[in-house]
Amino acid sequence: EVQLVESGGGLVQAGGSLRLSCAASGFTFDDYGIGWVRQAPGKEREGVSCISSTDGSTYYADSVKGRFTISNDSAKNTVYLQMNSLKPEDTAVYYCAVSRGCYIDFRGRLYGMNYWGKGTLVTVSS
């Protein structure tokens, strides 16, 4: 059974930083894409970032490029999302998610994540 447990969310002022962690277990496939999807109140789910286990390639949504950095410590089975220069519009529940790859659609958006954690809330105050 795939298990994804997020931590690191909280309240931060605009301009501040947070680091989210996702402890992953139960994979039965060697190649995978693992990353973060967020959902703000009243808004659609948005794929934020993804990293491929195959070659370490990364994906970032345009809204977070240059501010967020994803990394994967395979020895610890943990993926991180370093979030800098946070904005109030980054406020959302952040879910760790995994699939067999980082799939990007024709609009440049992440899709197709199969397994999800329960999420961690990030609140950015202005």
Side-chain angles (χ1 to χ4, degrees):
E1 178 186 4
V2 175
Q3 290 191 328
L4 304 168
V5 180
E6 304 96 336
S7 61
L11 173 64
V12 64
Q13 288 189 333
S17 298
L18 281 175
R19 188 177 80 156
L20 304 183
S21 300
C22 172
S25 63
F27 289 5
T28 58
F29 37 94
D30 293 329
D31 299 327
Y32 58 90
I34 187 166
W36 298 89
V37 179
R38 68 185 181 186
Q39 187 162 25
K43 295 189 176 181
E44 291 187 356
R45 197 174 288 177
E46 177 188 23
V48 174
S49 184
C50 188
I51 186 166
S52 170
S53 70
T54 304
D55 58 6
S57 58
T58 57
Y59 161 86
Y60 296 96
D62 288 343
S63 57
V64 306
K65 279 180 183 176
R67 300 188 297 123
F68 290 12
T69 303
I70 192 169
S71 59
N72 187 12
D73 186 336
S74 57
K76 295 182 178 180
N77 292 326
T78 300
V79 64
Y80 303 97
L81 186 68
Q82 178 67 43
M83 306 186 295
N84 298 329
S85 303
L86 282 161
K87 304 175 181 180
E89 52 263 43
D90 294 318
T91 295
V93 177
Y94 284 72
Y95 298 91
C96 181
V98 67
S99 183
R100 290 188 176 268
C102 296
Y103 301 116
I104 311 302
D105 68 16
F106 70 98
R107 296 172 298 179
R109 299 181 184 179
L110 181 68
Y111 75 99
M113 307 306 276
N114 299 122
Y115 302 95
W116 298 78
K118 293 183 178 180
T120 186
L121 177 63
V122 172
T123 304
V124 184
S125 63
S126 58

